[in-house]
Amino acid sequence: MRKLVLATDNKNKVNEIKDILSDLPIEILSKDEIGLEDLKVIEDGETLIDNSLKKAREISKYTDYLVVADDTGLFVEKLNGEPGVYSSRYAGEDGNDKKNVELLLKKLNGEESNAYFETVICLITEDKKEFIASGRCFGKVLTTVRGENGFGYDPIFQPDGFDKTFAELGSKQKNEISHRRKAIENLREILIKLLGDENENTCGK
Ligand code: IMP
């Protein structure tokens, strides 16, 4: 069975990806499981694609398995797309989720704004071909925090079609509609095509 290494150490992300790809003939491994737990990649790119490619390429130097890396940002319309690729360190390198949310609300100055989360996933194959998958979840940023679940900007983000924030919805419902879910579904389509193409190419040989 083919093996696929994930760049993330985050157990929730690993489980979510394993779950969505569970019916494919691919064994999913975390980078710790192939002895790369000390490998840290600085995310200093200007786009989500830059960062996910950088992470995947770095890991792919050390393995010939499939490699997958992701990067996510929140893009707020009234702030011209901020915090975007800087979402995790919006309030500075020593910031945290609470400080990031506070800064965002301060910049919005009491106004709501349309916004979307975007996740980009980069896949590098055993023969170093690169593919990009992505997913977006549209909604709006509210003026105050609501809800206890989740992380990051979940307490201020209300997805379209819901009257609750991601932090009020809970992980099960959030994971059904999230940007990450859509990006992983897109990755799944790419992997299915890749597996299919290779079966076709080897047929009868
Ligand atoms: P990462 O690329 O998944 O590490 O995400 C970068 C940053 O975006 C995180 O530190 C969070 O601040 C934010 N973020 C990513 N995904 C979500 C989400 O699903 N909800 C809320 N915030 C998120």
Side-chain angles (χ1 to χ4, degrees), residues 93 105 133 159 161 174 182:
E93 291 297 337
L105 292 180
K174 176 189 165 188
K182 290 175 184 154

Side-chain angles (χ1 to χ4, degrees), residues 13 70-72 87-88 117 151-154 174 179-180:
K13 282 191 193 174
D70 69 300
D71 198 26
T72 296
S87 292
S88 62
F117 276 107
F151 70 102
Y153 301 90
D154 280 350
K174 176 189 165 188
H179 40 294
R180 204 166 355 265

